[in-house]
Amino acid sequence: MAGVNQACIFCEIVRNPTTTRLLHTDEKVIAFQDIKPAAQRHYLVIPKEHIPTVNDLQRRDEDYSLVRHMLSVGQQLLQKDAPQSIHRFGFHQPPFNSVDHLHLHCFALPYVPRWKAIKYKSLGPLGGFIEAETLLEKIRPLLSKCMRSSSSSYSSLTGADVFLRHHSYPHNR
């Protein structure tokens, strides 16, 4: 999962960003316009690290943080460029992804032409398109890093105990 894939078109953009006009870049991700836009605004946010698909993400703090960051970047871009539009964010799931490099689709609707909406439908257990928030729910770590490190006594607690500790009045802690 780590590093760059020499044969990947998105890894090429990461290695040589002069070939594509970047809308955003930071230490974790880059963003650019989709080469075949399906909406008024259609941006892609990709990690700089090569991660093939959503199926390679796990319930880990690193994966959750990365997807949350990708979504935040996409939201900021569309809020700036198309504040009056309805926004939609999500990922294709295998076998429906066209490029094997994790990428978040960021849309300012409507779809153009309208029939392109079909490419961005969920097909339930068959895959298709998964909304970014739904993916985040799937990969949300069961216990966040801050909860694990806040107290060593948590290791012997049940899930209900942890919930009560964090959702009760201070005098019950």
Side-chain angles (χ1 to χ4, degrees), residues 23-24 31 43 45 72-82:
L23 303 172
H24 173 91
Y43 302 149
V45 180
S72 176
V73 167
Q75 289 169 331
Q76 289 171 26
L77 288 171
L78 288 182
Q79 189 57 41
K80 182 182 84 174
D81 294 346

Side-chain angles (χ1 to χ4, degrees), residues 60-69 136 139-141:
R60 299 185 312 183
D61 290 324
E62 308 84 66
D63 291 349
Y64 182 83
S65 175
L66 174 65
V67 173
R68 169 69 49 212
H69 180 64
L136 283 167
I139 66 169
R140 182 184 317 277

Side-chain angles (χ1 to χ4, degrees), residues 96-152:
F96 300 99
N97 48 313
S98 57
V99 177
D100 281 336
H101 186 121
L102 186 69
H103 55 284
L104 172 67
H105 289 268
C106 308
F107 299 105
L109 301 178
Y111 291 105
V112 179
R114 291 177 69 191
W115 63 264
K116 287 210 176 186
I118 196 77
K119 287 178 62 178
Y120 304 98
K121 297 277 185 201
S122 171
L123 300 175
L126 299 176
F129 195 74
I130 184 170
E131 299 289 334
E133 289 292 344
T134 303
L135 178 62
L136 283 167
E137 289 171 22
K138 279 180 67 172
I139 66 169
R140 182 184 317 277
L142 297 176
L143 272 178
S144 71
K145 197 179 281 186
C146 64
M147 286 178 66
R148 285 195 300 266
S149 64
S150 66
S151 171
S152 60

Side-chain angles (χ1 to χ4, degrees), residues 1-16:
M1 192 160 82
V4 175
N5 178 333
Q6 296 298 322
C8 172
I9 184 109
F10 288 171
C11 286
E12 175 61 29
I13 294 171
V14 170
R15 281 192 312 272
N16 187 9

